[in-house]
């Protein structure tokens, strides 16, 4: 009998991949150096990141079935090739001072690598950790959130020592090697495998293993109400969250009068809460359930966004922003486990890919909506009030989905009872 792999090493491999692709969050580190050296505008440079995030969502959707069919090892290696080539290609683009090449390599090629690399380990970890789905996916996705704390300083140090093109060559080669190595250990669990603790519980029968609500294919899942409700909750959470992250410092300076230095410090700490929120909220969801966690997200968001415009205390303002950012991160990490609960693990990677299109769309809508409102009002206060209203809508959906799920559970029980009565 083949030896079963260590599921914690599987998790570590997933973290390794996510730390590499999560370096995308440190893209802003290169903004000023490229603007100074090549004369590009901030919006031109930021567009590469926007394209990459957009492609992340849609490549995850289109490649989800590939991940399920070919497995996480092949998928991880493919992600390594695309993302490594994309980052190294960005070195070529900067060497030739070509924005078009940068959009192609970092935005398109790198973005495809981001999408495949994001879902490959996550769908696998849900299968390896049926007893702690939230914790497992939280670990991997935490790596994505924390990545900028490593890649940001590394990128900044490399730019000052070896120049912009060489920085991308070095980083791209490093990501390629690390992701290739991490992918080698990734694999789904053997058929019928259960963790030891869960086996003992089933043998002793003190309590029953919790069943997923259903086992659906991706095409079946997207035809259900819960899929689109979950999609909308993620969309609204990301739309507001990614917008607030992009302008947290100027909002703080406008509303509370905090200094630019204090604003920059707050932005750095936000990265910490983004990462901690991914692990913390996902782990909590194992104990109180995914529906309860999402409802808490939107209660916190509603209260925070409506309070922010009237807060004068710098400390209280920062506490509310950190709370919002932690929920933003937690929304990402709790989604895979939520998908497993609702639709099973049969095609979890493919369903997760479809759900991530919400991220792709929100990554465009959030900053655009914020800019549109600010340009017409010259104030961030209305922005925050509108975001509060969006969280009220999210809260309503998070409560509505409970009603839908209750009906689905009742239907499942009735079907099981009718099947049992025929024997």
């Amino acid at each position: 009998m083949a030896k079963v792999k260590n599921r914690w090493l599987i998790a570590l491999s997933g973290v390794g991949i996510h730390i590499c692709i999560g370096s995308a969050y440190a893209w802003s580190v290169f903004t000023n150096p490229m603007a100074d050296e090549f004369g590009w505008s901030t919006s031109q440079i930021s567009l590469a990141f926007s394209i990459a995030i957009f492609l992340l969502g849609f490549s995850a959707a289109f490649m989800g079935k590939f991940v399920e069919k070919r497995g996480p090892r092949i998928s991880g290696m493919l992600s390594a090739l695309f993302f490594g080539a994309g980052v190294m290609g960005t070195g070529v683009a900067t060497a030739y001072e070509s924005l078009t090449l940068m959009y192609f390599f970092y935005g398109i090629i790198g973005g495809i690598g981001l999408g495949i690399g994001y879902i490959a380990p996550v769908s696998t970890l849900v299968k390896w950790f049926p007893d702690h789905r939230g914790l497992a996916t939280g670990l991997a996705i935490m790596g994505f959130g924390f990545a900028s704390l490593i890649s940001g300083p590394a990128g900044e140090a490399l730019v000052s020592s070896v120049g912009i093109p060489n920085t991308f060559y070095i980083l791209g080669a490093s990501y390629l090697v690390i992701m290739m190595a991490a992918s080698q250990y990734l694999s789904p669990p053997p058929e019928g495998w259960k963790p030891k603790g869960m086996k003992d519980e089933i043998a002793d029968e003190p309590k029953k293993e919790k069943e997923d609500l259903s086992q659906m294919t991706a095409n079946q899942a997207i035809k259900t109400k819960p899929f689109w409700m979950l999609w909308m909750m993620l969309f609204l959470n990301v739309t507001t969250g990614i917008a607030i992250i992009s302008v947290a410092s100027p909002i703080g300076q406008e509303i509370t009068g905090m200094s630019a230095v204090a604003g920059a410090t707050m932005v750095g700490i936000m990265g910490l809460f983004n990462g901690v929120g991914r692990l913390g909220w996902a782990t909590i969801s194992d104990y109180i359930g995914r529906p309860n966690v999402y409802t808490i997200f939107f209660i916190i968001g509603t209260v925070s966004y409506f309070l922010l415009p009237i807060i004068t205390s710098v400390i209280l303002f920062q506490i509310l922003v950190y709370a919002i950012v932690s929920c933003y991160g937690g929304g990402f990490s709790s989604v895979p486990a939520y998908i497993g609960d609702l639709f099973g693990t049969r095609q979890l990677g493919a369903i997760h890919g479809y759900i991530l299109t919400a991220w792709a769309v929100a990554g465009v809508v959030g900053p655009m909506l914020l800019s549109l409102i600010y340009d017409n009002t010259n104030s961030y206060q209305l922005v925050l009030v509108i975001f509060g209203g969006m969280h009220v809508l999210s809260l309503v959906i998070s409560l509505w989905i409970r009603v839908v799920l209750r009906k689905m559970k009742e239907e499942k029980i009735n079907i099981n009872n009718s099947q049992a009565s025929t024997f």
Side-chain angles (χ1 to χ4, degrees):
M1 186 175 177
K3 184 179 177 181
V4 176
K5 290 184 176 181
N6 186 315
R7 63 177 180 163
W8 292 102
L9 291 180
I10 296 278
L12 184 63
S13 299
V15 171
I17 290 175
H18 269 243
I19 283 179
C20 290
I21 62 175
S23 63
Y25 271 166
W27 178 252
S28 61
V29 166
F30 306 111
T31 300
N32 288 339
M34 285 195 281
D36 293 340
E37 187 162 338
F38 308 130
W40 297 338
S41 68
T42 300
S43 59
Q44 288 176 319
I45 298 166
S46 298
L47 182 58
F49 172 78
S50 298
I51 295 171
I53 294 299
F54 186 80
L55 262 292
L56 184 161
F58 280 94
S59 64
F62 286 111
M63 296 298 291
K65 291 184 178 179
F66 175 88
V67 171
E68 293 295 337
K69 183 178 180 180
R70 301 305 300 269
R73 179 174 170 270
I74 297 296
S75 302
M77 292 170 65
L78 185 64
S79 170
L81 288 172
F82 270 91
F83 189 65
V87 176
M88 286 188 284
T90 307
V92 175
T94 54
Y96 284 94
E97 300 185 18
S98 171
L99 277 169
T100 303
L101 282 178
M102 186 170 73
Y103 297 152
F104 173 75
F105 280 114
Y106 194 86
I108 298 175
I109 302 299
I112 293 172
L114 284 172
I116 302 170
Y118 193 92
I119 60 173
V122 171
S123 60
T124 301
L125 285 174
V126 171
K127 297 170 186 175
W128 275 103
F129 289 82
D131 49 344
H132 297 293
R133 282 177 173 171
L135 170 64
T137 57
L139 278 171
I141 295 176
M142 176 191 68
F144 195 94
F146 271 142
S148 61
L149 298 177
I150 301 170
S151 53
E156 195 168 2
L158 284 169
V159 166
S160 61
S161 59
V162 299
I164 296 173
N166 288 332
T167 293
F168 286 114
Y169 297 147
I170 293 169
L171 291 176
S174 300
Y175 298 149
L176 178 62
V177 171
I178 294 170
M179 292 173 70
M180 277 290 185
S183 298
Q184 302 312 305
Y185 199 74
L186 287 178
S187 66
E191 188 72 29
W193 175 89
K194 297 288 182 187
K196 187 176 184 301
M198 190 171 280
K199 277 183 181 177
D200 293 341
E201 285 179 5
I202 294 171
D204 298 339
E205 293 192 351
K207 52 183 174 181
K208 247 184 149 178
E209 178 188 358
K210 181 183 176 184
E211 291 185 7
D212 297 325
L213 190 58
S214 61
Q215 287 290 336
M216 293 187 183
T217 64
N219 288 341
Q220 290 172 332
I222 62 173
K223 297 173 183 176
T224 65
K225 278 184 183 178
F227 175 90
W228 290 107
M229 295 168 92
L230 190 55
W231 190 98
M232 184 58 69
M233 286 191 291
L234 183 64
F235 168 75
L236 292 169
N237 194 39
V238 176
T239 297
T240 56
I242 205 167
I244 200 78
I245 286 172
S246 67
V247 292
S249 180
I251 287 179
Q253 292 176 56
E254 177 187 310
I255 293 175
T256 68
M258 71 170 62
S259 66
V261 174
T265 302
M266 178 180 69
V267 170
I269 298 174
M270 282 166 58
L272 181 64
F273 276 88
N274 190 355
V276 171
R278 290 167 189 252
L279 178 60
W281 284 116
T283 303
I284 291 171
S285 75
D286 283 332
Y287 297 95
I288 68 172
R290 258 60 75 172
N292 288 332
V293 162
Y294 269 80
T295 298
I296 291 171
F297 288 161
F298 302 129
I299 290 173
I300 291 174
T302 299
V303 173
S304 298
Y305 278 115
F306 282 130
L307 282 178
L308 282 175
I310 59 175
I311 291 295
T312 56
S313 167
V314 172
I315 294 175
L316 184 54
F317 180 89
Q318 292 185 63
I319 290 173
L320 293 176
V321 169
Y322 298 150
I324 289 171
V325 172
S326 77
C327 294
Y328 167 80
F332 283 116
S333 59
S334 301
V335 158
Y338 209 156
I339 293 170
D341 296 344
L342 297 180
F343 308 114
T345 57
R346 183 178 172 186
Q347 287 193 355
L348 191 145
I351 299 171
H352 189 205
Y354 287 153
I355 289 284
L356 288 179
T357 57
W359 186 6
V361 177
V364 176
V365 172
M368 284 180 60
L369 180 63
L370 184 145
S371 299
L372 180 65
I373 299 169
Y374 182 79
D375 290 344
N376 283 280
T377 64
N378 203 30
S379 172
Y380 287 113
Q381 291 189 330
L382 181 59
V383 170
L384 297 172
V385 172
I386 290 174
F387 284 179
M390 292 170 71
H391 271 259
V392 171
L393 175 59
S394 301
L395 179 58
V396 171
I397 296 173
S398 77
L399 297 174
W400 184 18
I401 195 172
R402 295 166 183 267
V403 178
V404 176
L405 297 182
R406 193 178 301 118
K407 289 180 180 178
M408 290 176 68
K409 286 177 183 177
E410 290 172 356
E411 290 174 4
K412 182 179 179 181
I413 292 171
N414 292 335
I415 291 170
N416 289 341
N417 289 339
S418 63
Q419 288 176 340
S421 65
T422 59
F423 291 101

